[in-house]
C-alpha cells in the first residue's frame, strides 16, 4: 500500500459588488474594490491525533521546526551518522536528507508500506508507521521541539463614529476578511477630527504566550493569546478587551467588554467588535480594530 502526501487545495470565487449608493451625507473615503473571497474545498494535512489507516498502520501529522530535515546534517547539508567520530568525515553519508532518513538516524524502523514525508510550506511531518514506532517518533520530536517561539506584535485601535459612518461601515465590511481599507479611512478621518480615535494599544509578545496591557487613565485593558501558523502567514488570535474599568462597592464595573477569537492574515487589520456607546446624547458607535505582525524568519 502506498500513500501520497495530501496538499491543501483551495478554490477561490470572486464576487464583485457595486459601490455604495450616492447620498447627500458625508462619507468615509474607503479605498475598497468591494471584492468578497469565498473558499471551498479547502483540504488540510493537519491531523494531530493518530488515524488508523490499515491493519497495524497508523498515520499522524506532527508540527516540526523548519530546520527539521537538517536535524542530522553536516555543514555541507549531508546526513551524518550521529554516533560517528566528529573528526571522521569519511563516515558522512553523501546523500541529501529526507524526513525518513532523519528518523532512521534517530532509531525509527521503517518497513514495507511505512512512510515519512516533510511538507516545508506547512512545517508539517506526516508519518505512517505501526503504533510502537509512532510512539518513538513522538518521543524524538518532543526532544527536538517545534523551534523557538517567534516574536509577534498585536496592535489595537478604538474608533468612535457617528451613526451615518456606522451604517456605511456595516455595508462595506460585510463579507470581507481584510478590513484594512476601513481602518485606513477611519485613521484619516480621525486626523481630520471627523471621527475620534479613542484608544491605541500595542503588545509585543511571542507566539503561544498570553500577554496583557492596561491603560491607567481610563482603565482600558487588552489581553491577547496569539499563535502563529506553521507557515507564518496567519495567526490565531484570542483577545479580551475591557473598556472603562472602575472600582465599585460590588467590585470592578466594566462599561463594555469584547471577547473575540480570530484567524487573521499578518499585516491585515480586522474589526474584532463594534458596539453602541451607552448613554450618548446621539447615536454613536465604537469599533475595535486589531492587527498582528511578525518579523520574517531569518
Amino acid at each position: 500500500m502506498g500513500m501520497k502526501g495530501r496538499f491543501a487545495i483551495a478554490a477561490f470565487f470572486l464576487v464583485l459588488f457595486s459601490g455604495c449608493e450616492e447620498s447627500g451625507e458625508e462619507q468615509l473615503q474607503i479605498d475598497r474594490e468591494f471584492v468578497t473571497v469565498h473558499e471551498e474545498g479547502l483540504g488540510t494535512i493537519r491531523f494531530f491525533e493518530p488515524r488508523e489507516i490499515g491493519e497495524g498502520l497508523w498515520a499522524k501529522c506532527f508540527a516540526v521546526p523548519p530546520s527539521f530535515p537538517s536535524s542530522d546534517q553536516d555543514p555541507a547539508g549531508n546526513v551524518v551518522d550521529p554516533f560517528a567520530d566528529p573528526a571522521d568525515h569519511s563516515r558522512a553519508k553523501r546523500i541529501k536528507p529526507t524526513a525518513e532518513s532523519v528518523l532512521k538516524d534517530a532509531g525509527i524502523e521503517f518497513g514495507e508500506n511505512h512512510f515519512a514525508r516533510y511538507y516545508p510550506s506547512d512545517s508539517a511531518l506526516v508519518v505512517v508507521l505501526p503504533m510502537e514506532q509512532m510512539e518513538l517518533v513522538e518521543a524524538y520530536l518532543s526532544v527536538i521541539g517545534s523551534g523557538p517561539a517567534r516574536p509577534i506584535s498585536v496592535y489595537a485601535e478604538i474608533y468612535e463614529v457617528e451613526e451615518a459612518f456606522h451604517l456605511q461601515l456595516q455595508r462595506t465590511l460585510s463579507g470581507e476578511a481584510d478590513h484594512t481599507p476601513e481602518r485606513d479611512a477611519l485613521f484619516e478621518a480621525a486626523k481630520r477630527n471627523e471621527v475620534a480615535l479613542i484608544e491605541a494599544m500595542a503588545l509585543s509578545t511571542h507566539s503561544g504566550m498570553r500577554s496583557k496591557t492596561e491603560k491607567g487613565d481610563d482603565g482600558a485593558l487588552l489581553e491577547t493569546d496569539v499563535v502563529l501558523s506553521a507557515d507564518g502567514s496567519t495567526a490565531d488570535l484570542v483577545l479580551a478587551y475591557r473598556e472603562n474599568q472602575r472600582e465599585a462597592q460590588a467590585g470592578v464595573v466594566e462599561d463594555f467588554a469584547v471577547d473575540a477569537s480570530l484567524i487573521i492574515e499578518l499585516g491585515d487589520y480586522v474589526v474584532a467588535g463594534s458596539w453602541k456607546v451607552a448613554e450618548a446624547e446621539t447615536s454613536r458607535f465604537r469599533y475595535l480594530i486589531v492587527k498582528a505582525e511578525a518579523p520574517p524568519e531569518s
Side-chain angles (χ1 to χ4, degrees):
M1 177 185 68
M3 177 178 179
K4 294 184 178 180
R6 299 170 57 196
F7 294 91
I9 302 173
F12 299 95
F13 300 92
L14 302 182
V15 180
L16 302 181
F17 291 90
S18 59
C20 294
E21 296 179 0
E22 297 207 9
S23 68
E25 297 178 343
E26 188 78 18
Q27 295 284 303
L28 293 169
Q29 302 303 307
I30 300 174
D31 184 15
R32 175 180 286 291
E33 296 181 353
F34 295 97
V35 175
T36 300
V37 178
H38 300 276
E39 297 183 11
E40 294 185 2
L42 183 60
T44 177
I45 62 172
R46 300 178 187 280
F47 48 99
F48 297 110
E49 293 298 325
R51 296 178 179 177
E52 189 171 12
I53 62 170
E55 186 175 355
L57 282 183
W58 295 77
K60 184 175 180 179
C61 176
F62 297 88
V64 294
S67 61
F68 170 75
S70 59
S71 297
D72 292 315
Q73 289 183 53
D74 65 8
N78 303 303
V79 176
V80 177
D81 182 349
F83 302 105
D85 184 340
D88 185 3
H89 299 289
S90 64
R91 298 188 64 180
K93 303 174 187 176
R94 300 302 176 184
I95 57 173
K96 293 299 182 181
T98 65
E100 189 169 318
S101 67
V102 170
L103 293 177
K104 283 182 176 179
D105 285 341
I108 312 301
E109 296 180 359
F110 283 81
E112 185 180 2
N113 299 328
H114 298 173
F115 170 94
R117 182 171 295 172
Y118 171 66
Y119 297 89
S121 62
D122 292 280
S123 286
L125 171 69
V126 176
V127 180
V128 174
L129 285 169
M131 182 53 70
E132 64 271 15
Q133 293 299 312
M134 189 72 73
E135 292 172 352
L136 294 178
V137 175
E138 292 174 347
Y140 171 68
L141 294 179
S142 69
V143 173
I144 69 171
S146 58
R150 288 180 60 189
I152 186 168
S153 298
V154 178
Y155 304 92
E157 297 171 349
I158 312 292
Y159 292 91
E160 185 173 310
V161 304
E162 61 186 38
E163 186 173 22
F165 288 167
H166 167 67
L167 295 176
Q168 181 189 2
L169 289 168
Q170 292 300 299
R171 289 195 302 269
T172 65
L173 290 169
S174 178
E176 301 295 340
D178 178 11
H179 302 157
T180 303
E182 284 75 15
R183 180 270 172 188
D184 290 347
L186 286 168
F187 186 77
E188 291 300 320
K191 291 194 293 186
R192 299 191 299 268
N193 294 320
E194 296 172 357
V195 305
L197 175 57
I198 301 298
E199 197 71 78
M201 310 172 81
L203 279 169
S204 294
T205 181
H206 283 82
S207 178
M209 294 182 61
R210 180 170 298 176
S211 300
K212 179 173 67 174
T213 185
E214 187 171 1
K215 292 293 186 71
D217 51 352
D218 58 8
L221 179 146
L222 177 68
E223 187 173 10
T224 66
D225 192 344
V226 58
V227 178
L228 286 171
S229 63
D231 64 3
S233 64
T234 64
D236 293 347
L237 175 63
V238 178
L239 66 85
Y241 172 75
R242 304 291 182 261
E243 183 184 73
N244 295 332
Q245 296 187 119
R246 60 187 185 277
E247 296 293 332
Q249 289 183 349
V252 176
V253 176
E254 299 164 348
D255 281 352
F256 196 80
V258 175
D259 293 285
S261 180
L262 310 166
I263 300 177
I264 60 178
E265 294 281 342
L266 294 188
D268 290 352
Y269 283 96
V270 176
V271 174
S274 64
W275 61 96
K276 188 174 182 178
V277 179
E279 302 177 357
E281 294 183 0
T282 60
S283 293
R284 299 188 67 82
F285 299 82
R286 289 189 177 181
Y287 283 77
L288 169 61
I289 304 178
V290 297
K291 177 180 72 168
E293 289 186 337
E297 288 188 305
S298 56

